[in-house]
Short mmCIF file of all heavy atoms in Angstrom, two decimals:
data_model
loop_
_atom_site.label_atom_id
_atom_site.label_comp_id
_atom_site.label_asym_id
_atom_site.label_seq_id
_atom_site.Cartn_x
_atom_site.Cartn_y
_atom_site.Cartn_z
N CYS A 126 9.00 -1.70 11.34
CA CYS A 126 9.33 -1.72 9.89
C CYS A 126 8.13 -2.28 9.05
O CYS A 126 7.71 -3.36 9.25
CB CYS A 126 10.53 -2.66 9.70
SG CYS A 126 12.03 -2.06 10.47
N LEU A 171 10.57 -4.32 1.32
CA LEU A 171 11.00 -5.68 1.83
C LEU A 171 10.56 -6.76 0.74
O LEU A 171 10.74 -7.88 1.15
CB LEU A 171 10.28 -5.90 3.16
CG LEU A 171 10.68 -4.88 4.34
CD1 LEU A 171 9.97 -5.26 5.58
CD2 LEU A 171 12.21 -4.84 4.44
N LYS A 227 19.71 -5.43 1.81
CA LYS A 227 19.69 -5.76 3.20
C LYS A 227 20.65 -4.99 3.95
O LYS A 227 20.38 -4.38 5.07
CB LYS A 227 19.90 -7.34 3.37
CG LYS A 227 19.71 -7.79 4.86
CD LYS A 227 19.69 -9.26 4.89
CE LYS A 227 19.34 -9.65 6.39
NZ LYS A 227 19.25 -11.11 6.53
N GLY A 267 20.73 -10.11 16.80
CA GLY A 267 19.58 -10.89 16.33
C GLY A 267 18.49 -10.09 15.70
O GLY A 267 17.71 -10.61 14.96
N TRP A 268 18.46 -8.78 16.01
CA TRP A 268 17.32 -7.94 15.45
C TRP A 268 17.51 -7.90 13.87
O TRP A 268 16.40 -7.76 13.24
CB TRP A 268 17.40 -6.56 15.98
CG TRP A 268 18.55 -5.68 15.74
CD1 TRP A 268 19.74 -5.59 16.46
CD2 TRP A 268 18.69 -4.81 14.60
NE1 TRP A 268 20.51 -4.71 15.84
CE2 TRP A 268 19.91 -4.18 14.72
CE3 TRP A 268 17.88 -4.47 13.49
CZ2 TRP A 268 20.47 -3.25 13.77
CZ3 TRP A 268 18.36 -3.58 12.57
CH2 TRP A 268 19.59 -3.00 12.76
N ALA A 269 18.67 -7.95 13.33
CA ALA A 269 18.82 -7.81 11.90
C ALA A 269 18.35 -9.05 11.18
O ALA A 269 18.11 -8.91 9.95
CB ALA A 269 20.25 -7.58 11.54
N ASP A 270 18.09 -10.15 11.82
CA ASP A 270 17.59 -11.43 11.24
C ASP A 270 16.16 -11.28 10.79
O ASP A 270 15.65 -12.16 10.02
CB ASP A 270 17.67 -12.53 12.18
CG ASP A 270 19.11 -12.85 12.59
OD1 ASP A 270 20.03 -12.53 11.83
OD2 ASP A 270 19.31 -13.44 13.65
N TYR A 271 15.41 -10.19 11.16
CA TYR A 271 14.04 -10.03 10.81
C TYR A 271 13.75 -9.07 9.61
O TYR A 271 12.66 -8.84 9.27
CB TYR A 271 13.25 -9.56 11.98
CG TYR A 271 13.30 -10.45 13.16
CD1 TYR A 271 14.35 -10.40 14.13
CD2 TYR A 271 12.34 -11.44 13.34
CE1 TYR A 271 14.36 -11.28 15.27
CE2 TYR A 271 12.41 -12.32 14.42
CZ TYR A 271 13.41 -12.21 15.40
OH TYR A 271 13.42 -13.07 16.47
N MET A 272 14.90 -8.75 8.90
CA MET A 272 14.72 -7.70 7.83
C MET A 272 14.06 -8.18 6.47
O MET A 272 13.94 -7.43 5.59
CB MET A 272 16.07 -7.08 7.54
CG MET A 272 16.61 -6.17 8.64
SD MET A 272 15.45 -4.84 8.86
CE MET A 272 14.90 -5.23 10.53
N ASP A 273 13.58 -9.40 6.53
CA ASP A 273 13.01 -9.84 5.32
C ASP A 273 11.47 -9.76 5.34
O ASP A 273 10.78 -10.31 4.53
CB ASP A 273 13.34 -11.29 4.99
CG ASP A 273 14.91 -11.43 4.49
OD1 ASP A 273 15.34 -10.44 3.86
OD2 ASP A 273 15.51 -12.36 4.84
N ASP A 274 10.95 -9.28 6.43
CA ASP A 274 9.44 -9.24 6.66
C ASP A 274 9.15 -8.03 7.43
O ASP A 274 10.00 -7.35 8.06
CB ASP A 274 9.08 -10.49 7.36
CG ASP A 274 7.74 -10.92 7.03
OD1 ASP A 274 6.85 -10.01 6.84
OD2 ASP A 274 7.46 -12.10 6.86
N VAL A 275 7.94 -7.70 7.60
CA VAL A 275 7.35 -6.68 8.51
C VAL A 275 7.74 -7.05 9.90
O VAL A 275 7.60 -8.28 10.29
CB VAL A 275 5.83 -6.57 8.40
CG1 VAL A 275 5.29 -5.65 9.49
CG2 VAL A 275 5.44 -6.07 6.94
N ASN A 276 8.33 -6.15 10.66
CA ASN A 276 8.85 -6.53 11.97
C ASN A 276 8.79 -5.38 13.02
O ASN A 276 8.53 -4.18 12.65
CB ASN A 276 10.27 -7.01 11.79
CG ASN A 276 11.14 -5.97 11.08
OD1 ASN A 276 11.68 -5.05 11.65
ND2 ASN A 276 11.38 -6.18 9.72
N LEU A 277 9.02 -5.70 14.26
CA LEU A 277 8.97 -4.82 15.34
C LEU A 277 10.12 -5.02 16.27
O LEU A 277 10.46 -6.20 16.52
CB LEU A 277 7.64 -5.01 16.17
CG LEU A 277 7.46 -4.13 17.32
CD1 LEU A 277 7.23 -2.66 16.95
CD2 LEU A 277 6.28 -4.59 18.22
N HIS A 278 10.82 -3.88 16.66
CA HIS A 278 11.93 -4.07 17.56
C HIS A 278 11.82 -3.05 18.75
O HIS A 278 11.46 -1.91 18.58
CB HIS A 278 13.25 -3.65 16.81
CG HIS A 278 13.39 -4.44 15.59
ND1 HIS A 278 13.94 -5.81 15.50
CD2 HIS A 278 13.17 -4.09 14.25
CE1 HIS A 278 13.86 -6.12 14.29
NE2 HIS A 278 13.35 -5.24 13.47
N SER A 299 12.82 -8.48 19.56
CA SER A 299 12.40 -8.43 18.07
C SER A 299 11.38 -9.61 17.76
O SER A 299 11.45 -10.57 18.33
CB SER A 299 13.60 -8.48 17.25
OG SER A 299 14.48 -7.51 17.54
N ALA A 300 10.51 -9.25 16.73
CA ALA A 300 9.72 -10.32 16.21
C ALA A 300 9.37 -9.97 14.73
O ALA A 300 9.09 -8.72 14.38
CB ALA A 300 8.47 -10.41 17.01
N GLY A 301 9.23 -10.88 13.94
CA GLY A 301 8.75 -10.66 12.55
C GLY A 301 7.34 -11.19 12.40
O GLY A 301 6.88 -12.14 13.06
N ALA A 302 6.58 -10.56 11.47
CA ALA A 302 5.14 -10.83 11.36
C ALA A 302 4.84 -12.07 10.53
O ALA A 302 3.71 -12.62 10.55
CB ALA A 302 4.34 -9.63 10.82
#
Side-chain angles (χ1 to χ4, degrees):
C126 292
L171 301 182
K227 187 167 186 177
W268 66 267
D270 296 337
Y271 296 90
M272 285 301 111
D273 292 327
D274 211 323
V275 174
N276 54 81
L277 180 70
H278 309 278
S299 304

